[in-house]
Amino acid sequence: MRVGEQSRDPIDQILGEVPVPASLTPEDVRLAVRAVVVHAAEEWPAGPKCRNDGAAYPCRLHRWGRRVLEAHGLNERQIDALVRHGNPFVHVPFPFVLTGPRTPAPPGPAPRGQAGRPVAPGVRPVARPGGSGRPVPPPATGRPRWPRAS
């Protein structure tokens, strides 16, 4: 069965779909990542089944997780990359923003640091006590990067 098809499982027909929250929270996104990873497909002779509960793939929770992640802004390739990665605790940024090519800076003078020199984008000038006031790159967050769709 494909992800978008209607399930023929009697339980799914009785219970219906799990509703997607009207406004998503970071907790909804975390639970959706866990749902799509834990309830991934497993091949059986009769066809793919959910590896967590043995229902026909995709099960109710996997479908719900995909709908939440799509509402959050991820596309199918990115969701499939999360499933292939296999870590149900991987971090998806909230709010999710696609990072594409940088837009050119608006016309006008470039931002300048304390010494009057132009400052590179993404670098903030910081005055150090007794220092020269050179630009300092932003600190690393220490969080693992989530997998990119390739």
Side-chain angles (χ1 to χ4, degrees):
M1 176 176 24
R2 297 173 63 121
V3 174
E5 285 184 23
Q6 180 67 29
S7 174
R8 290 186 296 272
D9 187 11
I11 295 294
D12 287 349
Q13 291 177 349
I14 291 170
L15 296 177
E17 292 294 326
V18 180
V20 175
S23 61
L24 296 178
T25 64
E27 184 66 21
D28 294 327
V29 174
R30 280 193 296 273
L31 290 173
V33 170
R34 288 180 67 184
V36 296
V37 172
V38 171
H39 293 266
E42 188 174 78
E43 284 300 321
W44 284 80
K49 301 226 182 253
C50 171
R51 71 174 167 205
N52 188 60
D53 57 20
Y57 178 80
C59 67
R60 293 176 73 229
L61 282 176
H62 186 90
R63 291 190 308 263
W64 173 82
R66 275 194 179 267
R67 288 194 320 269
V68 168
L69 293 174
E70 286 170 357
H72 186 54
L74 276 71
N75 60 32
E76 278 192 45
R77 288 180 53 218
Q78 292 167 325
I79 297 171
D80 291 340
L82 286 172
V83 173
R84 280 193 310 272
H85 187 266
N87 182 359
F89 302 106
V90 71
H91 174 73
V92 174
F94 192 89
F96 182 73
V97 180
L98 287 177
T99 54
R102 280 192 168 268
T103 57
R112 298 195 174 266
Q114 291 177 342
R117 285 178 255 147
V119 177
V123 176
R124 57 184 165 80
V126 174
R128 297 182 189 140
S132 63
R134 290 177 287 158
V136 177
T141 61
R143 294 185 297 210
R145 292 179 54 153
W146 66 286
R148 293 181 181 255
S150 50

